[in-house]
Amino acid sequence: MKKVLLLRFGELFLKGNNRNIFENLLINNIKNKLNGLEFKFEKTFGRYVIHDYNINLEEEFVNRLTKVFGLYSLSRAFEVDATIEDIENKVLDIDCFNKTFKVCVKRADKKFPVSSMEFAKILGEKVLNKYTSATVDLYKPDIEIKVDIRLNGKAYIYDEIVKCQGGLPLGSAGNGLLLLSGGIDSPVAGYLIGKRGLKIDAIHFHSYPYTSLEAKEKVITLAKKLTDYVGNIKLHVISFTQVQEEIHRCCKEEYMITIMRRIMMRVASKICDKYNLGCIVTGESLGQVASQTMQSMAVTTACSTKPIFRPCIAMDKEDIMNIAKSIDTYQTSILPYEDCCTVFLPKNPLIKPKEDRVENEEKNLNISDLVNKCLENEEIIEIE
Ligand code: ATP
Ligand code: MG
């Protein structure tokens, strides 16, 4: 008898012919995630099994595996030979003192001498004999004892299912560029889109010395926290100071944010071209602020040559905050450092900008020159 981790994946089943590609990616991602730990990996009966790991490090394994996109759940299980006696012994090891319980048997091996229903009943009776304080509850038991009898001559016994991330294996959806501010929403957007399989680079615009060096450090910390889920991130850091000064100097105040965001999109599109990234991702949420109305997003979208994904678009702030807490970015995001968007903030930003008027206002700037300067001063930080 030994302890193993049973891993389950979900949506991969839907992928028809691509299934192999998805599975290989997932297996690779699992192995990478467990890098530095010793274990054996087995692919079997629509599950994966982790064997021969150091039991003292089990929590570390579980902790890492629950962050792998594409895994749906896992169980710490006991593997025994699929004999009536071995299974009974193990089931009786599970502490049912004063508990309600239920036994579920699944039998892939139809040669096993007892039917599933019958065996569940037998096991239930044995548990009742051993633990006189235990009672059976088929609907809401405290403990659900699962017995999985497989074709490989082994049976797996467990009484818990740990929920994992779900989603699709990282990398299965291609590569994109996350606009990462120091705020609450964009790290959540990065996490959510990663969960759909998109591998991300990140881009951050700063306005040093208007924004502090701590503001940049904060973004590095956020990116670092995201790597737990989305793997290594190449962070492109762009100085936006000159762009903002120029807009401030040459354009009407109320256009500040709109034009800024349009330039961000132009720069981001070029970075996508340079690094072969297929889309842009932002933390925008409809109606949250003036720059996130439908009309504002329309005029910024117009400056992107890539599709823009906005995973938080229909989410309430509270829901976004809850995710931020669950991925441990929230406490960093609320540190009070200025973002470049708050520098030169107009009193009355445009809520429904019109594209022709914005274009007209942009004529006061040498846009391509500003974009090029942004690209020239790109700093790359590899976050691992
Ligand atoms: P967040 O919490 O992500 O900062 P927000 O609610 O503060 O979002 P905005 O400041 O309007 O909203 O930014 C909207 C989106 O634009 C952000 O989610 C992010 O994707 C992008 N963005 C804003 N500022 C920056 C920046 N300095 N660098 C890179 N991307 C940015
Ligand atoms: Mg922000």
Side-chain angles (χ1 to χ4, degrees), residues 179-181 183-186 205 261 283 288 291-292 339-341:
L179 266 74
L180 183 61
S181 70
I184 295 169
D185 306 333
S186 46
F205 297 90
R261 303 208 138 266
Q288 203 185 77
S291 62
Q292 298 178 25
D339 180 59
C340 75
C341 292

Side-chain angles (χ1 to χ4, degrees), residues 59-72:
E59 278 320 296
E60 177 69 19
F61 274 86
V62 171
N63 185 28
R64 291 197 201 180
L65 288 165
T66 50
K67 295 187 170 117
V68 175
F69 295 138
L71 282 183
Y72 272 64

Side-chain angles (χ1 to χ4, degrees), residues 259-278:
I259 296 179
M260 232 177 79
R261 303 208 138 266
R262 280 165 62 92
I263 297 181
M264 279 188 184
M265 286 303 168
R266 291 179 175 106
V267 174
S269 296
K270 297 262 184 204
I271 293 282
C272 284
D273 288 336
K274 184 169 170 191
Y275 295 91
N276 210 7
L277 307 165

Side-chain angles (χ1 to χ4, degrees), residues 263 266 270 365-375:
I263 297 181
R266 291 179 175 106
K270 297 262 184 204
L365 300 166
N366 185 338
I367 298 263
S368 62
D369 186 51
L370 287 174
V371 170
N372 284 337
K373 287 205 173 112
C374 283
L375 295 168

Side-chain angles (χ1 to χ4, degrees), residues 178-189 202-207 211 219 236 238 240 257 260-261 264-265 280-285 288-292 312 317 320 333 338-342:
L178 170 69
L179 266 74
L180 183 61
S181 70
I184 295 169
D185 306 333
S186 46
V188 170
I203 184 169
H204 176 67
F205 297 90
H206 71 86
S207 312
T211 55
V219 170
H236 309 261
I238 306 281
F240 217 45
I257 292 198
M260 232 177 79
R261 303 208 138 266
M264 279 188 184
M265 286 303 168
I280 290 172
V281 182
T282 78
E284 288 161 307
S285 164
Q288 203 185 77
V289 287
S291 62
Q292 298 178 25
C312 302
K317 192 77 183 182
I320 300 174
S333 288
E338 299 253 293
D339 180 59
C340 75
C341 292
T342 50

